[in-house]
Amino acid sequence: AQTVTQSQPEMSVQEAETVTLSCTYDTSESNYYLFWYKQPPSRQMILVIRQEAYKQQNATENRFSVNFQKAAKSFSLKISDSQLGDTAMYFCAFMKRPQTGANNLFFGTGTRLTVIP
Amino acid sequence: EPEVTQTPSHQVTQMGQEVILRCVPISNHLYFYWYRQILGQKVEFLVSFYNNEISEKSEIFDDQFSVERPDGSNFTLKIRSTKLEDSAMYFCASRGTRIRAGQYFGPGTRLTVT
């Protein structure tokens, strides 16, 4: 079974500063995907960034980047130049690379990030 | 940009009643999912659906739950006899063939069972 752990229930950061959210996971799979989803107060889940486990290069999407350490099973999210709109719940999620079928996401418990003006 | 839609946004029902939550996935997607999130807790997988049948389901998805794709666009979750503990946010998601694109989530339906 896959488990995803987010050890920081809440974090805050000053506007324009950088913050890193932690995520660790446990799996016996060798091929998988990792995602960070953002859930603002509107409650809709929005994909922020993804990482394929077979890629060594860390994914980057504008101000968002990850530090993927496969051996350590760690997948942290760095948000640079934090903006007020980044205030949200952030979920780390794991998905096996599907051979057949749909394959679901396994979510962590989330980190509530508050950006302070 | 295409998006997943869900109706209703909020549903209030009495314990023991049947509810149907509706979702319209992105049109060219082939894989469909239901997740739920009890207030303050993490998002939990309920069921996945592919090729007109259930692909995988969790322990939560017991006989009280069913899913259907009645036509080419809708994807529904039915709870036959709701319980208080079914109160949650229910999210529908869909995915295309490009795995790395991830799953696209709808805005959710808040179900309140009284």
Side-chain angles (χ1 to χ4, degrees), chain A residues 51-99:
Chain A
Q51 174 81 41
E52 293 98 318
Y54 63 87
K55 286 191 175 178
Q56 290 186 333
Q57 186 173 8
N58 289 322
T60 300
E61 290 285 343
N62 301 315
R63 298 183 294 109
F64 299 88
S65 60
V66 298
N67 183 4
F68 173 50
Q69 303 287 327
K70 190 172 184 180
K73 295 181 181 172
S74 169
F75 182 60
S76 61
L77 173 70
K78 185 169 85 170
I79 306 174
S80 305
D81 185 25
S82 298
Q83 299 175 0
L84 296 178
D86 295 333
T87 292
M89 195 77 166
Y90 286 81
F91 290 98
C92 177
F94 170 100
M95 185 179 79
K96 294 190 293 188
R97 183 179 175 87
Q99 301 301 318

Side-chain angles (χ1 to χ4, degrees), chain B residues 11 16 31 33 40-42 44 46 70 72 74 77-78 80 104 111-112 114:
Chain B
Q11 172 102 39
Y31 302 90
Y33 308 82
Q41 298 186 23
K42 70 176 177 180
E44 300 173 291
L46 292 178
N74 290 284
L77 174 69
K78 181 175 9 181
R80 287 191 185 82
Y104 290 77
L111 177 64
T112 303
T114 62

Side-chain angles (χ1 to χ4, degrees), chain A residues 37 43 50 52 102 105, chain B residues 33 35 37 55 100 103 110:
Chain A
Y37 279 88
R43 304 297 301 274
R50 70 182 69 83
E52 293 98 318
L105 291 165
Chain B
Y33 308 82
Y35 294 85
Q37 185 182 30
S55 181
R100 68 181 304 276
Q103 295 177 19
R110 180 181 300 282

Side-chain angles (χ1 to χ4, degrees), chain B residues 44-103:
Chain B
E44 300 173 291
F45 167 71
L46 292 178
V47 65
S48 58
F49 193 86
Y50 169 68
N51 201 24
N52 287 318
E53 61 182 21
I54 289 175
S55 181
E56 207 168 341
K57 59 183 180 179
S58 72
E59 292 173 354
I60 303 167
F61 194 87
D62 61 22
D63 292 343
Q64 292 299 314
F65 292 88
S66 62
V67 288
E68 206 174 40
R69 188 157 162 80
D71 52 43
S73 59
N74 290 284
F75 180 50
T76 62
L77 174 69
K78 181 175 9 181
I79 308 175
R80 287 191 185 82
S81 178
T82 50
K83 307 191 247 321
L84 293 176
E85 53 265 36
D86 292 329
S87 293
M89 195 78 162
Y90 288 80
F91 292 101
C92 173
S94 69
R95 173 173 76 78
T97 53
R98 290 183 66 232
I99 300 164
R100 68 181 304 276
Q103 295 177 19

Side-chain angles (χ1 to χ4, degrees), chain A residues 1-8 21-28 32-37 72-76 90-96 104-111, chain B residues 35 41-43:
Chain A
Q2 279 67 230
T3 59
V4 179
T5 302
Q6 294 178 251
S7 58
Q8 305 152 314
L21 309 183
S22 302
C23 172
T24 58
Y25 58 94
D26 191 22
T27 184
S28 57
Y32 50 87
Y33 292 80
L34 295 163
F35 303 89
W36 278 98
Y37 279 88
K73 295 181 181 172
S74 169
F75 182 60
S76 61
Y90 286 81
F91 290 98
C92 177
F94 170 100
M95 185 179 79
K96 294 190 293 188
N104 57 285
L105 291 165
F106 293 88
F107 285 89
T109 51
T111 296
Chain B
Y35 294 85
Q41 298 186 23
K42 70 176 177 180
V43 178

